[in-house]
Amino acid sequence: QVQLVESGGGLVQAGGSLRLSCAASGGTDAMGWFRQALGKEREFVAAITWSGGSTFYADSVKGRFTISRDNTKNTVYLQMNSLKPEDTAVYYCAGRTRNCYGFGCYTLGSRYDYWGQGTQVTVSS
């Protein structure tokens, strides 16, 4: 029912910045970002509530990444600063259209219903 399309990925040098965007075809509840590096499991990066009043970040990106959303555009953003080679991964946008209760509503991929196809972020040293 909801399509998510990521954009903004690319190649950047260490210390640089990128801004990822994820446009949804309709309204969503929480939205989040996950990433998967080669040889690694998919991991949580950041999430935001419907209102934008609360945000959540993986420890590895705290202080460097900022998630935000614009509900008038059904779009979520991930501003990535001070990028490191370790940030190299395919970044996936995730969302859900219904409320979530209980454990891991924001940090578990299984709690999201819709996923984008991913956008590659490569950070060179």
Side-chain angles (χ1 to χ4, degrees), residues 2-6 22-25 28 31 93-95 114-117:
V2 175
Q3 295 180 348
L4 304 178
V5 180
E6 303 99 335
C22 173
S25 62
T28 59
M31 297 186 73
C93 177
Y114 304 98
W115 294 83
Q117 294 189 23

Side-chain angles (χ1 to χ4, degrees), residues 10-113:
L11 175 65
V12 65
Q13 293 184 349
S17 298
L18 284 174
R19 189 193 192 206
L20 304 184
S21 298
C22 173
S25 62
T28 59
D29 184 45
M31 297 186 73
W33 290 94
F34 292 75
R35 67 187 182 187
Q36 185 169 17
L38 286 175
K40 295 185 178 180
E41 300 292 331
R42 182 182 64 184
E43 65 177 353
F44 167 76
V45 176
I48 188 167
T49 58
W50 176 87
S51 67
S54 296
T55 56
F56 309 85
Y57 297 95
D59 289 341
S60 60
V61 305
K62 285 182 179 178
R64 300 189 298 120
F65 291 9
T66 302
I67 189 171
S68 61
R69 68 188 298 169
D70 182 349
N71 287 344
T72 66
K73 298 182 180 295
N74 293 325
T75 301
V76 65
Y77 306 94
L78 185 68
Q79 179 66 46
M80 305 184 294
N81 298 325
S82 301
L83 283 162
K84 306 174 181 179
E86 306 94 273
D87 296 317
T88 295
V90 176
Y91 284 70
Y92 297 92
C93 177
R96 58 171 174 260
T97 57
R98 302 180 68 179
N99 291 333
C100 177
Y101 302 92
F103 178 75
C105 284
Y106 301 100
T107 59
L108 294 180
S110 61
R111 293 293 199 159
Y112 294 88
D113 300 316

